[in-house]
Amino acid sequence: MDKYGIDSQKISYHPARLAQWLEAGDDWDKVKKVYPIYIELSPSGACNCRCVFCAVDYMGYKPIFLKTDKLMHALSQMGKKGVKGINMGGEGEPLLHPQIIELNNHAKKSGLDVSYTTNGILMSDKFIQEALPNVTWLKVSLNAGSPENYNKIHRTKAEDFNKVIDNLRRAVKFKKENKLSCTLGAQMVLLPENAHEAVSLAKLLKEVGLDYFVVKPYSQHKLSLTKQYEGIKYDSYQKLGEELRAVSEGGFDVIFRSHTMKKWDEKERPYHTCYATPNFWGHLASNGDLYSCSAFLGDDRFNCGNINEMTFVEIWEGEKRKKNWELMNSNFDISECRNNCRMDEVNRYLCRLTDVPPEHVNFI
């Protein structure tokens, strides 16, 4: 069971926003008022790991941080304009931002659901106690089942593995004691180097008390410096998926992303336009640049503006986003896109919405 919809899409649960977008059509004055449902943020450009599979290694792990005052203003506007959820993750480790707790709680106060993708090494008692009550979900990137392998894959200290497990135990304990609704999970990018530890790690995380464990395929970013997993295949891992699913019980779910793995070798996508961009999501980089797609960080065609120079509303309704919208609706070749990108399932759904409907569509 994938009750969180991780291996599918959830845009269909936002019919009002979909109707607004469909009604806007090719009218920019209407399109510019269609605000994203979801935005990813990179609070920090720096990271305390150097994972062997890192998709955004090309960004350089720069020690820069989103400016707190500018981000708080942007978060307030996001909430007012109908953004529903934000994810703290991106280029670096979000918990490195010195004001991450204040930003977290301001986002929640602004009406936003807040989530985290983190390596979990820096998850302090202060963060657990002061931020976790306002977090919808937190997912730790944990790509090995032993300290030795953790050292090789995350390229950090071997003892950080046990530190992450201890941090998760304390988070689970605080959650239960305070009856929090925050969902706590972990995620593994399945690689030849960690496949043999996937089941033992799932059992450990179940014992720790997490809500779920996701095992997902690697996806080659077109701009990544690392290329060592570019030709990886997943057709031989289905038996592993069965073993992992067998660990699911007692409120603990293992989500083996077999659907995404099966799409790995597709020769062609069933759509030719990315409708998700620049309409339903965005990515705010650590330097303040707001991109319409997280797969094109650093590409000026997708850079809509900077929150240090303009407000979030001015950026989203501005000329640079209009140019990106025109690009995506005209001659953009989606072969430039990352295989199995974050919005793939969303685009499959949006494609069906925009297709000529089948006959007798009104006989529901």
Side-chain angles (χ1 to χ4, degrees), residues 29-58:
D29 286 331
K30 293 181 178 179
V31 170
K32 70 181 182 181
K33 301 293 185 181
V34 179
Y35 275 81
I37 297 168
Y38 163 70
I39 292 182
E40 297 175 346
L41 287 84
S42 293
S44 166
C47 190
N48 51 338
C49 291
R50 291 294 184 272
C51 299
V52 294
F53 56 84
C54 182
V56 290
D57 52 6
Y58 71 96

Side-chain angles (χ1 to χ4, degrees), residues 113-241:
D113 287 345
V114 185
S115 68
Y116 284 83
T117 302
T118 170
N119 58 45
I121 297 170
L122 302 173
M123 192 160 55
S124 64
D125 283 334
K126 182 177 174 63
F127 177 84
I128 291 171
Q129 294 165 11
E130 297 183 18
L132 216 58
N134 289 324
V135 174
T136 300
W137 59 261
L138 181 145
K139 179 168 59 184
V140 168
S141 179
L142 190 53
N143 301 283
S146 65
E148 297 75 21
N149 213 21
Y150 187 86
N151 168 253
K152 292 175 184 176
I153 294 174
H154 284 259
R155 293 193 288 195
T156 183
K157 299 174 186 175
E159 54 264 34
D160 282 341
F161 175 80
N162 292 324
K163 186 174 184 180
V164 172
I165 296 299
D166 182 61
N167 289 344
L168 288 171
R169 288 188 193 279
R170 290 184 295 104
V172 168
K173 184 174 184 287
F174 184 81
K175 171 188 171 177
K176 290 180 177 178
E177 288 176 348
N178 293 275
K179 297 180 171 59
L180 302 184
S181 60
C182 175
T183 301
L184 297 173
Q187 174 177 280
M188 169 188 274
V189 176
L190 188 60
L191 304 171
E193 294 92 330
N194 62 20
H196 66 288
E197 294 183 329
V199 174
S200 61
L201 179 58
K203 291 177 178 177
L204 173 60
L205 296 175
K206 178 182 177 181
E207 182 268 320
V208 166
L210 293 192
D211 297 297
Y212 69 85
F213 175 46
V214 179
V215 179
K216 74 171 193 176
Y218 173 80
S219 174
Q220 180 65 48
H221 194 295
K222 294 295 181 78
L223 301 175
S224 292
L225 302 180
T226 179
K227 304 290 184 185
Q228 67 185 92
Y229 303 108
E230 192 170 20
I232 194 170
K233 301 290 183 182
Y234 285 100
D235 48 2
S236 64
Y237 287 108
Q238 294 310 308
K239 188 175 185 300
L240 175 61

Side-chain angles (χ1 to χ4, degrees), residues 302-361:
F302 293 81
N303 184 350
C304 298
N306 191 292
I307 64 165
N308 299 320
E309 302 164 0
M310 304 165 66
T311 68
F312 171 71
V313 172
E314 288 171 341
I315 294 170
W316 198 254
E317 298 188 13
E319 283 301 309
K320 292 195 75 175
R321 179 179 168 238
K322 181 182 180 183
K323 287 182 179 179
N324 183 243
W325 171 71
E326 291 170 343
L327 170 70
M328 301 309 293
N329 285 338
S330 56
N331 60 351
F332 183 73
D333 182 358
I334 62 170
S335 67
E336 290 190 45
C337 296
R338 185 178 184 178
N339 189 25
N340 271 332
C341 85
R342 185 75 54 83
M343 291 293 128
D344 181 67
E345 284 297 318
V346 169
N347 276 319
R348 289 169 188 254
Y349 178 80
L350 295 175
C351 178
R352 292 195 295 272
L353 282 186
T354 55
D355 274 350
V356 176
E359 294 184 25
H360 309 161
V361 70

